[in-house]
Structures are given as C-alpha cells and as structure tokens.
Amino acid sequence: MGNLKIRDVRTILTAPEGIALVVVKVETTEPGLYGLGCATFTQRPLAVRSAIDDYLKPFLIGKDPCRIEDIWQTSMVSAYWRNGPVLNNALSGVDMALWDIKGKLAGMPVYDLLGGKCREGAAVYRHADGRDEKEVEDNVRKWMEQGYRYIRCQMGGYGGRGHTIHKTRNAPPGAYYDPDAYASSVVKLFEHLRKELGFEIQLLHDVHERLVPIEAVRLAKQLEPYNLFFLEDALPPEQIEWFKMIRQQTTTPIAMGELFNNPHEWIPLIVNRLIDFIRVHISQIGGITPAKKLAVLCEAFGIRTAWHGPGDVSPVGHAANIHLDVSCPNFGVQEWSGISDKLREVFPGAPEVENGYAYPNDKPGLGIDIDEKKAAKYPISNELPQWTLARFPDGTAVKP
Ligand code: MG
C-alpha cells in the first residue's frame, strides 16, 4: 500500500438529536476509499474542529493511512503538550477513521483486525429514571420486557431531585442538589428495587462524582446488600486515591473513568486492582489504538471494560465501542443510549440491538457511513450547557 496517501481530512458537525456530534472523515488518494471516526466532545465542538482542521489536517495530508501506530504516536506529540481533552478527541476521530480505512482495504470488519470475535454480541445496559421509586421500577420493567438484563437506575437525574434546597441569599444560578439527601435516596431506591424486582436483573448506578469522598465510601458500603453490577464514578478523577478506601470497606463493584484523558489517571487504579470496570470515553483517550491497549492492560489485572456510550458519542463512536466489545475477552457491559431513526438516517450501518445485545454489522471497516447531505440538515447550536454548573445548597460550585 506504499502509494496510498491521505488526501484530505474533513470535520463534520451535526446534531440530529440536538446533541452536537463531531465526525472526522479521512479521505485517501484511492477514489471512494475513506474512513470515519468519532471526535465528539459535545461541550466544545468548535475547539475540536479547529484542532482537526487547523492542526491535524496539515500534519496528515500526504501520509500513508496504513501507518496507524506511527500516526497516533506522532500526532500525540506534535503539539508537545498532550493528553488533554480537545486534542485527544481530534486524534480519536483520525485514529478511528484510519482503522476504518484499514478494514476496508483488508476486506475485514475492525473486530477482525483486533483479533476476531470472542462473542457474537455485546450485552448493553439502558437507563431508567423516575420521580420516585415506583416510577423507576416501572421504567426498569419496561426495559426488561424488551429483553434488557442490565439497567442503570437513577431517581431524579444526577444528584437526585425534589429535596429541599436550603439556599443562601443572592444564590447564583446553577444546578443545585443536596448530596446527603441524594445519597440517602439512592439507598432507599435500591432497597425498593431489589424488594420488588428480585436479584436476577443486573442493576447499576452512576454517582456522577456528586459526593464528597467519605460520603462516596459510605454509599458504596450501604449499597453492598443490593448487589449492584457496578457503582459508577463514585468520585471525581481528582480524588482517585480514595478508591483504596472504598476497596477496603466494601465489595460493591466499582466502575470509573469517563472523564479520564491521561494514562496516569487509569494506570494506578488498574495495577492496584482498585476498580472492576474501566469506563473511559474512547474519543476522550484518543481512539481505538489506545483503547485496545487499555483493554489488554485491564485483562491482565482481571478488570473488565464498560466503555462510555451516552448520546454524546456519535453512532460512529458507538460502532467503535461495539467492535472492541465483541473482540476483547475481558468485556463487561456496554452502555447503550439508543440510536434513533433520525440518527440512523444520517449514519447508515449503525450497530443494531436485539434482545439486550448490540451487534456490529459485518461489513469491512467500522461498517458505518455518513450521509453528509442529511447531516447538514441538523446544524449544531453551540450553546453552553447548564447541567455542568453543579452547586451544593450553599452555592459552592462542585464537580458535576
Ligand atoms: Mg457516567
């Protein structure tokens, strides 16, 4: 493939569901041969676009797209400063697109390039929420009826809702919550769910960093009788040393990592066996190349994968997740936010879910395409999010 070169790199912004998605298209000198990757960082899409169009594109044009490892390594250090959001997302888009191109050249799906399937489909989990315990239970049952066996349960969204918030005068705007009331409500919720649903269904919960460390330790301990499949992001990345404390206190399985950017955030948690599931956002760590290496590292330490899979991952990113899921022996579970008909029109070939399992299609590469005309019908809005402005009742800004 010595003559094949990268001819162009393009960034496509689209928001079919109102969530800004960033997709990279790497075009080659072979007519019709291109790859797609997910570079989505939905809160900073224009910054990612600039990182791709203004910096990676001129760096990549003329290079051999088959040299994925070399391109990843050199792109990562070409700015000297590295391992941060925005630049990692941009590189992820390029990296996934190169795996897509290589699969198309080989006539193989990406999962075959990664070692081949070790399972036919990836078990996925869905989200159930509700205003009270009964409504959450009803929503869990709805997913169960559709064949899902893993359900993440929240009540009132992150940090809970409906608690009396004792504010100061002149309280600034923000997403207020009471951490103590939230933590107690979670224990009551799972007590209710296990009483009504039994122990056969797998239940999960996402703290979304909304507790101070010792409260997170206490919650993990209090949830132990309810056999969670995992408790997610009990602490912010800035407090990972506290996972030792959680480990000493409870057998509640711990999932961590959607905010991680730098290998030194995950390495200590893995080698000290302080977590059970690695949950990074693949676009946030730089794509399939580092994700495969991370999965292999985890395998050696008995830790399973549970890649981040919310609505702010494009269907291209979901496809990359599923290709990894079916080919990594230490796969645990895949978060699945669903792919609407509108998204499927823009992204033909997106993974399908049947009876609780997601399946990649078996076409070469990632098996997914983008209809650019349809994508252009859904411009992004670039509004700043409000939910990230989390505050304690006295107005203190906290991790969201
Ligand atoms: Mg999460």
Side-chain angles (χ1 to χ4, degrees):
M1 294 299 151
N3 293 325
L4 189 68
K5 302 275 184 257
I6 295 174
R7 187 177 63 79
D8 199 4
V9 179
R10 292 170 44 229
T11 310
I12 303 160
L13 303 179
T14 184
E17 288 299 332
I19 299 171
L21 303 175
V22 186
V23 174
V24 175
K25 189 170 191 176
V26 174
E27 297 177 348
T28 72
T29 47
E30 189 174 311
L33 178 62
Y34 59 86
L36 296 173
C38 180
T40 302
F41 175 3
T42 202
Q43 287 84 6
R44 295 292 186 271
L46 301 184
V48 177
R49 181 174 67 182
S50 172
I52 297 161
D53 292 354
D54 299 329
Y55 300 102
L56 280 178
K57 174 179 164 173
F59 183 74
L60 294 170
I61 286 178
K63 289 198 162 77
D64 178 352
C66 292
R67 298 192 174 199
I68 300 176
E69 187 66 40
D70 186 66
I71 286 176
W72 195 91
Q73 299 291 344
T74 55
S75 299
M76 178 53 97
V77 295
S78 75
Y80 183 44
W81 275 278
R82 53 193 179 264
N83 288 319
V86 180
L87 297 182
N88 273 8
N89 300 106
L91 179 52
S92 164
V94 169
D95 180 78
M96 286 183 197
L98 297 180
W99 281 97
D100 192 21
I101 290 169
K102 184 162 288 213
K104 287 175 179 174
L105 278 169
M108 290 178 181
V110 167
Y111 61 71
D112 269 337
L113 302 180
L114 298 173
K117 281 184 184 175
C118 38
R119 60 189 61 76
E120 285 300 317
V124 298
Y125 73 84
R126 301 302 306 246
H127 296 180
D129 206 319
R131 285 161 297 185
D132 56 30
E133 287 96 347
K134 184 71 178 84
E135 196 174 58
V136 180
E137 180 201 327
D138 292 343
N139 288 328
V140 171
R141 288 188 192 279
K142 280 182 199 157
W143 289 127
M144 289 169 72
E145 280 160 20
Q146 293 176 45
Y148 294 99
R149 294 166 304 107
Y150 298 81
I151 318 285
R152 191 193 78 167
C153 305
Q154 311 289 133
M155 191 164 64
Y158 303 131
R161 263 180 214 110
H163 317 303
T164 308
I165 304 288
H166 191 68
K167 289 188 185 177
T168 63
R169 66 183 174 204
N170 302 323
Y176 282 79
Y177 73 103
D178 180 324
D180 296 318
Y182 155 64
S184 320
S185 75
V186 175
V187 179
K188 281 187 211 129
L189 171 66
F190 282 92
E191 187 183 4
H192 173 89
L193 293 174
R194 283 306 187 200
K195 190 163 154 263
E196 298 302 323
L197 300 168
F199 281 76
E200 269 183 38
I201 184 82
Q202 298 282 10
L203 302 179
L204 301 71
H205 181 72
D206 187 356
V207 176
H208 229 264
E209 322 168 73
R210 299 252 176 152
L211 295 172
V212 301
I214 194 65
E215 287 173 326
V217 179
R218 186 173 57 206
L219 178 63
K221 207 171 157 176
Q222 287 177 324
L223 289 174
E224 192 174 288
Y226 310 114
N227 279 12
L228 263 60
F229 186 73
F230 65 57
L231 181 67
E232 175 185 348
D233 286 4
L235 299 164
E238 293 84 351
Q239 298 296 347
I240 57 175
E241 284 286 312
W242 280 84
F243 278 110
K244 284 182 203 149
M245 193 73 78
I246 294 183
R247 207 45 145 191
Q248 286 159 5
Q249 295 282 338
T250 176
T251 57
T252 292
I254 299 298
M256 180 63 187
E258 73 186 50
L259 283 159
F260 286 170
N261 295 279
N262 186 313
H264 290 285
E265 292 173 298
W266 58 74
I267 288 170
L269 297 179
I270 295 165
V271 300
N272 293 307
R273 298 175 174 87
L274 296 177
I275 58 172
D276 302 278
F277 295 90
I278 186 74
R279 240 190 91 57
V280 299
H281 188 95
I282 287 179
S283 149
Q284 198 63 38
I285 67 164
I288 292 171
T289 298
K292 176 64 183 173
K293 293 174 185 179
L294 173 55
V296 171
L297 176 68
C298 285
E299 184 193 348
F301 289 90
I303 293 161
R304 288 178 278 173
T305 65
W307 312 123
H308 195 220
D312 51 322
V313 165
S314 74
V316 178
H318 285 291
N321 284 345
I322 306 297
H323 280 268
L324 283 157
D325 294 339
V326 297
S327 59
C328 289
N330 54 321
F331 164 71
V333 73
Q334 178 60 56
E335 184 179 28
W336 187 251
S337 47
I339 296 180
S340 66
D341 291 344
K342 217 192 270 179
L343 277 165
R344 286 185 186 281
E345 266 188 40
V346 176
F347 294 96
E352 305 273 355
V353 166
E354 186 191 314
N355 206 24
Y357 288 103
Y359 298 88
N361 68 50
D362 299 317
K363 288 183 194 147
L366 291 170
I368 188 163
D369 209 343
I370 186 165
D371 183 326
E372 292 190 53
K373 279 204 187 102
K374 285 182 182 152
K377 287 200 295 188
Y378 305 106
I380 66 161
S381 80
N382 203 36
E383 267 173 35
L384 290 172
Q386 296 303 306
W387 66 268
T388 52
L389 302 174
R391 294 188 188 276
F392 281 159
D394 72 353
T396 306
V398 289
K399 304 289 187 299

